Amino acid sequence: MRPTKRRGVWLAAAMVLLALAAWLMSRGDKEKPAVRPRKIEFPRHPKQAEWERASRRRTLPPLTAPPPGVEAPQWKRDPVLAALPADPKRSAMVFEIEALKESPIMQIWLDCMLSRGEERAGLARLKDRYGIDVLEDVERIATSSTGLMVLQGSFEGAKFERERWSTRTYGEKGILYEEKDTGRVVATWGPDLLLADPRAEPGLVEDAIDRLESTDPTQGSILQEHQAYSDVYGVLSPDDLSNMLPSDQDQLAERIRETVERVEIHIDASEDVAVVAEVAGPAGQEMKDLSRLFGAALSMGRLNAKREGRDELAELLDYAKVETQARRPPWESKPEEQRFSVDVALPVELLKNLGPCRRDRRDPDRDVEPEPEPAPPR
């Protein structure tokens, strides 16, 4: 994305974080949505179904019991979260593929993707070469800023050609596959976890298996169990947030590095897309000042987008606001900590012609039946 395209809307890019933000911000189309989003509930705590989903996923045994006389709960653990690095200076995101496939916006985007022959052919090649059907076999995907990817699903049929991949066992349940030409490493851990290292970083996948099989009671994860809810969730480090800013925001980037401890992201796509980016730091005036700067940046970005004729960007920023009183349950609240959130409500009508569908909209030679215009609001 060119620096001139990012000026004025950097905050929305940082908060929405996902590819949909990149799609929204990388273009300046002037088509406006016909319907504004209805009032929706932002994902600030787990729904009952998400509690139950998280409970089912705790299949790893508890860590070693604490010393005698020390009371501590002994919970089973989520293997996907356990495999992620524990370094708080890193970032991680989890995409609930099963849930996202059922969401209105993803169904629209998938229809656009699968209507193109080259996309269908690419998925077919992946299944033929590796035995993995991305749309059927993958339940969720976790990524981290280390480069590690953790996929949970059904991988009994995964295959790696001996001519291209060397194979060895690792730990109790790990099987490592190393691509001979590139050094990239993929591993299966049991029938339902696949770990990948696209960057070919030495030891990255092995370290993840070590965490999965560790009994060290001090072992942690960058993502906690109580944070594993909504359709997309994760944490963003202050350094990664700062690095998303354009070069002319160096002073603000430094303020973020000095003040912010972490940014927690939750996205619900079950109807319209609701995004909550919760910024946490030490209680005090610095966090109050930072929340005001975020609000001012949103307003300035909105004005700049309108002045430059970038109506789609201005529309996005119309749906963003800063909540200075982040609402958290008592067990997650800390008196020494202060939070504010950036909330974004994105209507399906705004998003449906973006992402994979943008190319279809701009290709007049494609033989695709246009969608009917939505009825005007009453």
Side-chain angles (χ1 to χ4, degrees):
M1 187 182 299
R2 298 192 301 272
T4 55
K5 286 285 187 182
R6 296 175 63 179
R7 186 173 295 116
V9 293
W10 60 266
L11 183 57
M15 292 299 95
V16 179
L17 183 67
L18 306 176
L20 71 87
W23 288 321
L24 286 168
M25 295 184 176
S26 63
R27 298 291 193 274
D29 299 329
K30 299 186 178 181
E31 179 178 321
K32 287 206 167 204
V35 179
R36 295 184 69 86
R38 53 190 166 275
K39 185 176 181 180
I40 60 175
E41 183 178 350
F42 286 90
R44 303 187 193 281
H45 51 77
K47 302 172 184 176
Q48 181 62 35
E50 291 167 344
W51 276 116
E52 295 170 357
R53 180 181 70 185
S55 179
R56 289 194 304 270
R57 288 170 168 173
R58 295 189 187 109
T59 57
L60 280 183
L63 296 171
T64 304
V70 177
E71 294 186 6
Q74 291 291 285
W75 304 106
K76 288 187 175 183
R77 297 169 296 141
D78 182 332
V80 170
L81 303 187
L84 291 171
D87 187 351
K89 296 180 180 179
R90 296 294 188 174
S91 302
M93 296 295 294
V94 180
F95 301 82
E96 293 285 352
I97 303 301
E98 280 292 321
L100 288 169
K101 283 193 306 185
E102 301 302 317
S103 68
I105 186 57
M106 285 307 299
Q107 289 184 358
I108 292 171
W109 283 356
L110 281 171
D111 285 345
C112 289
M113 288 177 60
L114 297 178
S115 68
R116 297 197 288 266
E118 65 270 26
E119 300 286 357
R120 291 198 306 272
L123 292 174
R125 283 194 299 271
L126 183 66
K127 183 176 181 179
D128 182 62
R129 175 173 291 183
Y130 298 109
I132 298 173
D133 187 330
V134 175
L135 297 180
E136 298 295 333
D137 296 340
V138 179
E139 180 181 347
R140 59 174 165 164
I141 300 175
T143 66
S144 83
S145 56
T146 63
L148 177 69
M149 295 181 64
V150 184
L151 287 72
Q152 185 172 37
S154 178
F155 304 116
E156 295 95 335
K159 57 185 180 181
F160 298 88
E161 298 173 355
R162 292 185 178 181
E163 293 78 9
R164 295 181 56 204
W165 301 80
S166 60
T167 305
R168 61 187 173 94
T169 60
Y170 187 87
E172 295 180 10
K173 297 171 62 176
I175 302 177
L176 291 177
Y177 304 90
E178 183 173 353
E179 192 171 33
K180 297 175 182 178
D181 293 339
T182 66
R184 290 184 303 163
V185 175
V186 178
T188 56
W189 193 80
D192 63 347
L193 280 191
L194 189 145
L195 306 118
D197 171 20
R199 301 180 188 172
E201 294 285 344
L204 195 66
V205 170
E206 291 92 330
D207 288 347
I209 294 176
D210 289 341
R211 289 189 290 270
L212 283 164
E213 299 184 353
S214 172
T215 58
D216 183 355
T218 64
Q219 179 181 293
S221 172
I222 193 172
L223 266 176
Q224 305 304 310
E225 301 273 351
H226 68 267
Q227 296 172 318
Y229 66 90
S230 68
D231 299 328
V232 181
Y233 48 88
V235 290
L236 185 64
S237 73
D239 281 342
D240 286 338
L241 173 58
S242 299
N243 290 337
M244 296 175 74
L245 308 186
S247 58
D248 61 355
Q249 296 287 350
D250 287 345
Q251 185 176 1
L252 182 55
E254 188 61 32
R255 290 280 299 273
I256 290 172
R257 290 190 182 96
E258 292 174 352
T259 307
V260 175
E261 294 176 351
R262 67 187 178 281
V263 180
E264 186 175 333
I265 308 288
H266 291 278
I267 300 177
D268 185 300
S270 57
E271 294 182 7
D272 290 322
V273 178
V275 183
V276 172
E278 198 161 84
V279 183
Q285 189 62 41
E286 291 85 357
M287 282 292 288
K288 294 179 181 178
D289 292 343
L290 192 59
S291 70
R292 295 189 186 101
L293 282 176
F294 273 52
L298 283 173
S299 299
M300 184 61 66
R302 193 177 298 116
L303 290 173
N304 286 344
K306 289 180 179 178
R307 185 177 64 249
E308 295 167 7
R310 302 165 69 198
D311 294 343
E312 206 167 74
L313 305 183
E315 193 74 31
L316 166 65
L317 292 169
D318 279 340
Y319 299 119
K321 63 178 180 178
V322 175
E323 284 280 352
T324 55
Q325 297 295 326
R327 297 179 285 277
R328 307 296 295 176
W331 61 86
E332 292 182 32
S333 300
K334 301 177 183 178
E336 72 278 8
E337 184 179 78
Q338 188 167 331
R339 298 174 181 236
F340 64 88
S341 70
V342 178
D343 299 348
V344 185
L346 299 171
V348 171
E349 291 298 322
L350 173 66
L351 299 175
K352 70 177 184 179
N353 288 324
L354 303 174
C357 298
R358 178 188 298 276
R359 174 177 160 186
D360 295 346
R361 188 179 63 183
R362 290 183 171 183
D363 186 353
D365 297 327
R366 285 182 50 46
D367 185 18
V368 177
E369 207 47 48
E371 288 190 359
E373 287 296 321
R378 296 180 180 178

